[in-house]
């Protein structure tokens, strides 16, 4: 029998386009690595890159990555660290060519490959960008052929880990459990410092002023240890890993193009300071279809925020609303939305805390309708409306906004390919076996806590949460830190109770998923984000703080937990 392959150390240096610039150098100099990944893409990023490409057909990739490589490509080459990134965005071939040109100028002998086949824009007329979420085996093919740098377009975030793992360990497409373990590791790494204390409900548990970026020590059986370089900020514990596992997921089946990972099989355990072991992950054949993200321009939007100070806030809001409605009637926008945020306090000792904010947002296919009309109507009220009239900022001329839609296509509809440094193309076939997704039976809940005295307190005193966006839906993952808290949470926080605590979700479909191994509940709120983040349908368009709002709501909590 051959000896098992050495663990693969995969680090991440970017969770989004605009993340910490110095992270690439920090990860390369902070400790041992085999592979360094960078995740630059999100639904909103694809729209931004699509607009870049409209201005310049040679654009469409994350320019920041190229500047980071200029600083660190030599360092990666010296240390033998391979780099895998989705920074290619809408133009992976263009970024790969730019990296080769950079390497030649710097005198660094590296082989650069890229992955393509995700671009389906031509098949979806009217879309600014339409891209399928590819799996990791295109990356695998590039690495097996000796690539030092692999650039992709739209792949799943976890593919940046499954691809290198399959190349290193020799996995094939039917190694479902191993691939599922890598998917879970990739999902923990993909958002960078969110795994090391960033944006964490219990942030006071450690020093998170400058969290280090995470890495996974991945083993041949698909298990891994999540950690970070010694001496870097932040912290890794079961809670930080749980929070990231719940981020932007749904039920027990976490589907992807390579494998469907069963999140209800994940087991976490502390292995030491800043070390959390993930094991037990089971996988199933992936779905027969691939998700395609359609990004379109939805029209133009404009907004103005009126400041209402002191007494009679509701009456002041009613007055200016009536005035603006009359003024806009001459050329009414297609959509008009008002929101009054009662940020004011009675008998406040500062003017700011004595003020409420009334936000007016308008949308229309015509820029002039949302621009000149809104600006004129708002400014003309400067001396003719409620006492103390002023606005946060004058309205502009209106800006374009995007909408996001997810559709699905058969795996065979995508020409997934690895393009090597010498120009050779290697076709990447779809999954050899697939499985249509179906619901997982509801797990058995723990026994409820015995009756006892309760106290009114915020949910966040006994539970953590993390929330995010998937198209027009939001997810809110909630987890308990102790077994007793889980026994209470599993029975108390039903979908109906969630709607009570989150009135905004009351008219919407709310689906609750139970993940006992993580002592967690995952709520999917359908349609709360309208047509996606780029449409900016609500105050918090990506639902980033929806979980913290939930944690601030008060319930009758057993005193034994407090």
């Amino acid at each position: 029998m051959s000896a098992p392959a050495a663990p693969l150390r995969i680090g991440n240096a970017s969770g989004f386009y605009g993340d910490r610039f110095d992270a690439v150098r920090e990860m390369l100099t902070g400790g041992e690595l085999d592979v360094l990944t960078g995740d630059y893409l999100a639904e909103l990023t694809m729209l931004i890159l699509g607009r870049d490409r409209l201005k310049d057909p040679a654009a469409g990739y994350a320019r920041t990555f190229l500047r980071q490589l200029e600083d660190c490509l030599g360092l990666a080459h010296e240390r033998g660290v391979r780099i895998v990134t989705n920074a290619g965005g809408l133009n992976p071939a263009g970024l790969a060519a730019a990296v080769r040109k950079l390497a030649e100028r710097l005198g660094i002998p590296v082989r650069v490959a890229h992955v393509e086949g995700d671009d389906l824009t031509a098949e979806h007329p009217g879309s600014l960008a339409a891209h399928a979420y590819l799996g990791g085996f295109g990356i695998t093919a590039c690495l097996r052929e000796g690539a030092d740098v692999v650039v992709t377009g739209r792949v799943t975030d976890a593919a940046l880990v499954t691809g290198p793992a399959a190349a290193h360990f020799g996995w094939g497409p039917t190694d479902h459990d191993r691939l599922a373990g890598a998917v879970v590791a990739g999902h923990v790494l993909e958002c960078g410092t969110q795994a090391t204390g960033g944006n964490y409900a219990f942030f006071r548990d450690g020093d998170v002023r400058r969290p280090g970026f995470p890495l996974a020590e991945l083993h041949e059986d698909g298990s891994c240890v999540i950690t970070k370089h010694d001496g870097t900020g932040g912290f890794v514990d079961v809670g930080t890993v749980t929070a990231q596992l719940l981020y932007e997921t749904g039920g027990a089946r976490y589907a992807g193009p390579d494998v469907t990972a069963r999140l209800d099989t994940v087991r976490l355990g502390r292995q030491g300071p800043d070390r959390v072991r993930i094991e037990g992950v089971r996988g199933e054949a992936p779905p027969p279809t691939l998700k395609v993200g359609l990004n379109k321009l939805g029209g133009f939007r404009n907004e103005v925020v009126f400041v209402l100070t002191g007494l009679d806030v509701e009456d002041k809001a009613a007055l200016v609303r009536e005035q603006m409605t009359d003024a806009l009637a001459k050329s009414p926008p297609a959509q008009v939305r008002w929101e009054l945020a009662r940020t004011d306090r009675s008998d406040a000792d500062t003017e700011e805390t004595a003020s409420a904010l009334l936000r007016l947002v308008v949308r229309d296919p015509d820029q002039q309708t949302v621009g000149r009309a809104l600006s004129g109507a708002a400014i003309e009220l400067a001396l003719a409306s409620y006492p103390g009239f002023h606005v946060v900022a004058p309205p502009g001329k209106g800006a374009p906004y995007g909408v996001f839609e997810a559709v699905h296509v058969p795996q065979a509809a995508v020409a997934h390919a690895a393009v090597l440094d010498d120009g050779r193309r290697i076709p990447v076939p779809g999954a050899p076996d697939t499985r249509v997704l179906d619901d997982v039976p509801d797990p058995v809940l723990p026994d409820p806590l015995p009756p006892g005295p309760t106290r009114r307190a915020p949910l966040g005193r006994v539970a953590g949460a993390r929330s995010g966006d998937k198209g027009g839906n939001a997810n809110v993952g909630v987890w308990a830190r102790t077994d007793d808290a889980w026994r209470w949470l599993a029975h108390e926080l039903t979908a109906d109770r969630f709607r009570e605590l989150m009135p905004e979700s009351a008219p919407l479909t709310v689906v609750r998923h139970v993940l006992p191994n993580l002592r967690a509940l995952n709520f999917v709120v359908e349609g709360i984000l309208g047509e996606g983040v780029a449409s900016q349908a609500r105050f918090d368009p990506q639902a980033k703080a929806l979980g913290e709002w939930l944690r601030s709501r008060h319930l009758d909590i057993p005193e034994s937990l407090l």
Side-chain angles (χ1 to χ4, degrees):
M1 288 181 61
S2 59
L8 182 69
R9 289 175 63 88
I10 303 182
N12 178 32
S14 176
F16 67 100
Y17 190 9
D19 209 343
R20 188 188 307 166
F21 186 87
D22 293 335
V24 173
R25 175 168 288 277
E26 290 171 13
M27 290 301 289
L28 289 172
T29 59
E32 293 298 316
L33 281 181
D34 301 304
V35 177
L36 182 62
T37 66
D39 181 6
Y40 292 78
L41 300 184
E43 293 168 5
L44 179 60
T45 315
M46 298 297 281
L47 179 71
I48 293 169
L49 294 176
R51 291 173 60 185
D52 287 348
R53 191 171 59 174
L54 284 178
K55 302 171 187 173
D56 178 5
Y61 56 78
R63 301 172 191 269
T64 306
F65 172 72
L66 202 57
R67 299 204 312 271
Q68 290 171 307
L69 271 200
E70 184 165 15
D71 179 52
C72 296
L73 184 59
L75 187 59
H77 178 67
E78 291 168 10
R79 292 178 172 248
V81 178
R82 291 167 139 184
I83 295 175
V84 179
T85 179
N86 60 17
L90 277 57
N91 188 7
L95 178 56
V99 173
R100 292 188 192 100
K101 186 175 180 180
L102 171 67
E104 184 178 357
R105 176 165 62 84
L106 297 176
I108 302 170
V110 296
R111 289 163 291 186
V112 184
H114 73 274
V115 176
E116 59 185 37
D118 59 299
D119 191 349
L120 302 181
T121 307
E123 286 77 21
H124 294 272
S127 295
L128 183 61
H131 290 258
Y133 289 70
L134 302 180
F137 279 99
I139 297 169
T140 302
C142 293
L143 293 173
R144 285 176 175 166
E145 292 293 327
D148 303 296
V149 178
V150 181
V151 173
T152 79
R154 179 74 275 187
V155 296
T156 64
D157 300 336
L160 301 178
V161 171
T162 61
H168 180 75
F169 295 116
W171 297 342
T174 58
D175 287 317
H176 294 144
D177 290 346
R178 293 178 172 87
L179 289 168
V183 164
V184 169
H187 183 60
V188 174
L189 296 187
E190 70 182 55
C191 289
T193 53
Q194 281 198 168
T196 58
N199 298 357
Y200 181 53
F202 304 106
F203 63 95
R204 290 177 293 186
D205 286 357
D207 184 353
V208 296
R209 289 174 294 177
R210 188 179 172 86
F213 277 70
L215 63 93
E217 298 170 358
L218 196 60
H219 295 268
E220 191 170 15
D221 63 358
S223 66
C224 72
V225 172
I226 303 297
T227 184
K228 63 185 186 69
H229 285 324
D230 291 341
T232 58
F235 61 101
V236 178
D237 66 15
V238 170
T240 66
V241 174
T242 299
Q244 182 54 30
L245 278 175
L246 296 173
Y247 182 64
E248 295 181 346
T249 60
R253 286 192 164 100
Y254 185 54
D258 295 323
V259 67
T260 293
R262 289 291 298 261
L263 298 183
D264 56 345
T265 64
V266 175
R267 297 198 306 269
L268 305 180
R270 184 176 183 270
Q271 198 181 59
D274 293 318
R275 294 178 64 82
V276 172
R277 182 169 178 79
I278 303 177
E279 58 188 351
V281 186
R282 303 298 302 274
E284 299 169 345
T289 59
L290 297 178
K291 176 182 172 181
V292 179
L294 305 183
N295 288 275
K296 304 176 183 180
L297 291 177
F300 296 87
R301 70 183 297 279
N302 204 355
E303 71 173 68
V304 59
V305 180
F306 300 93
V307 182
L308 314 172
T309 303
L311 305 176
D312 306 318
V313 165
E314 298 284 348
D315 291 337
K316 290 172 179 174
L319 171 60
V320 73
R321 181 168 180 167
E322 184 175 357
Q323 291 175 308
M324 288 297 297
T325 300
D326 289 344
L328 293 174
K330 302 169 188 173
S331 180
Q335 297 178 34
V336 178
R337 177 168 176 166
W338 292 89
E339 291 178 287
L340 176 60
R342 293 302 303 264
T343 51
D344 55 307
R345 294 205 300 262
S346 178
D347 194 21
D349 56 5
T350 68
E351 182 178 337
E352 186 173 5
T353 56
S355 300
L357 301 176
L358 177 64
R359 183 169 176 244
L360 167 61
V361 178
V362 297
R363 304 169 189 272
D364 197 87
D366 178 53
Q367 186 173 18
Q368 184 169 325
T369 298
V370 303
R372 188 181 304 166
L374 180 65
S375 298
I379 298 306
E380 287 172 5
L381 293 179
L383 304 178
S385 190
Y386 60 86
F389 180 98
H390 65 287
V391 297
V392 170
K397 62 182 180 180
Y401 70 91
V403 297
F404 177 86
E405 179 187 1
V407 299
H408 292 81
V409 299
Q411 289 209 19
V414 173
H416 191 179
V419 184
L420 305 182
D421 189 72
D422 59 8
R424 285 183 295 141
R425 295 177 60 87
I426 301 177
V428 180
D433 58 337
T434 61
R435 171 177 174 167
V436 176
L437 290 176
D438 54 9
D439 293 332
V440 175
D442 290 337
V444 177
L445 296 181
D447 292 334
L449 281 182
T454 62
R455 190 191 326 153
R456 198 77 177 164
L459 173 63
R461 294 289 175 257
V462 296
R466 177 166 286 165
S467 55
D469 65 300
K470 277 295 178 187
N473 299 340
N475 97 286
V476 184
V478 186
W479 76 95
R481 305 181 86 182
T482 67
D483 288 339
D484 280 349
W486 168 237
R487 291 171 64 187
W488 172 78
L489 184 71
H491 293 275
E492 176 65 22
L493 196 56
T494 62
D496 286 341
R497 180 54 58 86
F498 183 95
R499 290 189 188 92
E500 291 175 17
L501 297 172
M502 306 271 94
E504 188 180 0
S505 71
L508 304 174
T509 298
V510 176
V511 181
R512 184 179 99 146
H513 302 282
V514 183
L515 300 169
N517 281 9
L518 300 177
R519 295 190 298 226
L521 306 170
N522 214 352
F523 295 88
V524 177
V525 187
E526 298 181 2
I528 194 171
L529 303 179
E531 296 177 289
V533 54
S535 70
Q536 296 184 308
R538 65 188 296 274
F539 167 68
D540 173 16
Q542 290 182 280
K544 295 292 189 181
L546 200 59
E548 286 302 292
W549 179 25
L550 177 64
R551 292 183 69 236
S552 74
R553 298 307 308 270
H554 288 224
L555 299 88
D556 294 323
I557 299 176
E559 288 191 353
S560 61
L561 302 180
L562 297 170

